[in-house]
Amino acid sequence: MEKLLDMTALICQGAVVTLEIFVITLLLSLPIGGLAALGRLSKFKPLSLLMEFYVWIMRGTPLMLQLLFVYFALPMVGIRLPDIAAALLAFVLNYAAYFAEIFRAGLQAIPRGQFEAAHVLGLPHWHTMKRIVFPQVLRIVLPPISNETINLIKDTSLIYILAMNDLLRVARTIVQREFDMTPFVIAGIFYLVMTAVLTWAFKKLEAYYGKYDA
Amino acid sequence: MANTMLELTNIHKSFGDNQVLRGIDLVVDKGEVLAVLGPSGSGKSTMLRCINHLETIDKGDIHIKGQALVEGGVYVNEKRQREVLAATGMVFQQFNLFPHMTVLENLIEAPIYVKGVARDEAIKTAENLLAKVGLSEVRDRYPARLSGGQQQRVAIARALAMKPDILLFDEPTSALDPELTGEVLKTMRELAAEHMTMVVVTHEMAFAREAASRVIFMAGGVIVEENEPKAFFNNPKEERTKAFLRNML
């Protein structure tokens, strides 16, 4: 029993690292993704093409490769980042690209009539975006954002290749040392609890922002 | 001139190779209710959408209350456009209410943020307008909970909340079930009786005949015939008008 508590305490420390990566990645990649979506839809062609290229690279290569690239390849050209910053850079760039595609689809789903109604009422462009368009986009994008967010919590386990002691790596270390599979079960429970909390939170958000549906 | 609300001069508009408007001249005076008839593809909706710059014209002038929106195909700057277009309001075929806002919020958004009206005052005006269109009871509902006819009446109230001098209607009953068009037409008739200046693109012959003060018939991007309703329906002069009316009545 005491052994079990010790294991759980260690895994808890790993969970803190996992949550740290998760929260910071989410906080940074959501706004960056939003801006990238606006850039992608911009009438300024070079910006739009650049964003398309960015999304193509990030979605077209494995996240694992991107992590390794930031961690091992960048130092070769003199860019040396602390471990956690390197991991965050890769995660944020990758997830912002996925979020950008979700936001783009959401923005494009708003009927033209909404913009026209705002125009004939004399609402300025930015006000139209802020008060008319974004609240409706939010409702559309919440389900896919929820999906990606749950993926992210599991994807954080990829940092084990960067020798950072996240939830999964701590569990694996104990398994190898003690030759006991229990830590894997505990880690699994940790992931399940985290995704359950996220699922619940997104359900609440969806209900709140969907309250105007018939 | 003081009585002229709207003046279109030699308007041309193309979508790619498709010339939709080929020289439209039109003057609408204060208090007039102008019904715009014509087969689909005649350019009548495009003409209406050019008036408030939902479409950009290629050539011509548009003056609203004597103020230029566009002259010689060149538009005034954006700030000035907003000032000139403040005199106009529009009602769409698809209502285009803001679905995430309640009926009341739909009505007060623009008065508060565009005109700087105090919130209490905007709410009072909105409530009066809802009473006028007979919809006081839906004040706090979301548009999706309303019938099409109710949504369109809310859309009319939303346009009126900005106190426009001229109201544009783009086929306001075309998206409605037949049994719901009556309530919208009734609201429009009441506005006409109050001498609201209105330009109404419509397929409702009865409305054009009874509520309009003048009718124009468009085909192929030009105004083919124009007259007061009685003469228009009883003695159409042009062959194309006669053919159109035969099909509609």
Side-chain angles (χ1 to χ4, degrees), chain B residues 14-161:
Chain B
S14 300
F15 293 113
D17 289 338
N18 182 17
Q19 247 199 309
V20 183
L21 300 178
R22 307 158 180 259
I24 299 283
D25 291 293
L26 180 69
V27 175
V28 180
D29 286 335
K30 191 169 190 298
E32 267 200 289
V33 177
L34 180 75
V36 183
L37 307 180
S40 50
S42 60
K44 54 194 192 309
S45 277
T46 304
M47 179 193 74
L48 196 75
R49 292 166 56 82
C50 285
I51 294 172
N52 55 13
H53 203 185
L54 285 175
E55 305 290 351
T56 301
I57 65 170
D58 303 329
K59 214 169 101 180
D61 309 336
I62 297 177
H63 289 84
I64 295 165
K65 288 175 81 183
Q67 304 176 83
L69 174 71
V70 46
E71 270 178 326
V74 181
Y75 282 84
V76 297
N77 70 45
E78 224 164 283
K79 183 166 168 284
R80 185 77 192 118
Q81 282 183 41
R82 237 195 286 282
E83 289 165 10
V84 174
L85 288 177
T88 68
M90 191 176 208
V91 175
F92 298 89
Q93 183 177 349
Q94 300 294 342
F95 331 132
N96 295 342
L97 293 175
F98 304 132
H100 60 302
M101 295 182 174
T102 64
V103 165
L104 185 77
E105 287 165 349
N106 264 278
L107 263 64
I108 63 175
E109 181 74 12
I112 290 176
Y113 290 97
V114 178
K115 287 189 148 181
V117 176
R119 195 179 168 84
D120 303 356
E121 203 188 318
I123 291 176
K124 216 194 282 166
T125 309
E127 284 171 339
N128 287 337
L129 286 167
L130 285 176
K132 186 184 160 99
V133 299
L135 287 173
S136 297
E137 76 279 7
V138 304
R139 194 192 109 127
D140 296 315
R141 282 196 223 161
Y142 287 98
R145 309 250 176 201
L146 306 182
S147 74
Q150 288 175 324
Q151 289 191 48
Q152 192 61 300
R153 281 145 71 204
V154 170
I156 293 172
R158 180 175 70 176
L160 290 172

Side-chain angles (χ1 to χ4, degrees), chain A residues 40-58:
Chain A
R40 175 84 198 273
L41 293 174
S42 158
K43 287 192 186 100
F44 182 58
K45 264 279 162 237
L47 180 63
S48 162
L49 285 174
L50 182 70
M51 287 304 128
E52 202 174 335
F53 180 72
Y54 158 67
V55 169
W56 178 61
I57 295 286
M58 289 298 152

Side-chain angles (χ1 to χ4, degrees), chain A residues 39-184:
Chain A
R40 175 84 198 273
L41 293 174
S42 158
K43 287 192 186 100
F44 182 58
K45 264 279 162 237
L47 180 63
S48 162
L49 285 174
L50 182 70
M51 287 304 128
E52 202 174 335
F53 180 72
Y54 158 67
V55 169
W56 178 61
I57 295 286
M58 289 298 152
R59 293 205 309 178
T61 57
L63 176 54
M64 177 89 90
L65 175 64
Q66 293 162 21
L67 276 166
L68 292 171
F69 187 85
V70 170
Y71 198 74
F72 293 111
L74 285 187
M76 288 179 193
V77 292
I79 304 171
R80 191 167 285 283
L81 295 169
D83 286 3
I84 189 121
L88 281 171
L89 180 64
F91 272 110
V92 168
L93 284 177
N94 181 278
Y95 269 82
Y98 279 92
F99 287 140
E101 281 302 279
I102 291 171
F103 286 131
R104 179 182 65 84
L107 281 165
Q108 286 178 327
I110 304 300
R112 230 166 74 118
Q114 293 290 303
F115 292 92
E116 294 188 345
H119 169 83
V120 302
L121 288 168
L123 295 172
H125 179 72
W126 180 240
H127 185 90
T128 302
M129 296 307 274
K130 196 175 71 179
R131 297 270 307 173
I132 310 298
V133 177
F134 291 157
Q136 296 185 59
V137 170
L138 191 58
R139 197 195 70 80
I140 298 171
V141 300
L142 269 174
I145 295 268
S146 162
N147 252 332
E148 282 307 320
T149 306
I150 286 167
N151 274 338
L152 173 60
I153 207 118
K154 293 178 289 177
D155 273 354
T156 53
S157 62
L158 288 175
I159 59 171
Y160 89 93
I161 51 158
L162 306 187
M164 268 184 266
N165 285 319
D166 78 311
L167 177 48
L168 186 62
R169 191 183 168 93
V170 171
R172 198 183 65 157
T173 309
I174 306 173
V175 167
Q176 284 170 339
R177 194 178 56 212
E178 313 270 332
F179 213 69
D180 175 354
M181 291 300 138
T182 328
F184 280 156

Side-chain angles (χ1 to χ4, degrees), chain A residues 17-35:
Chain A
V17 175
T18 292
L19 281 172
E20 209 169 61
I21 298 271
F22 169 77
V23 170
I24 297 174
T25 301
L26 204 57
L27 288 181
L28 292 176
S29 60
L30 279 171
I32 293 174
L35 290 175

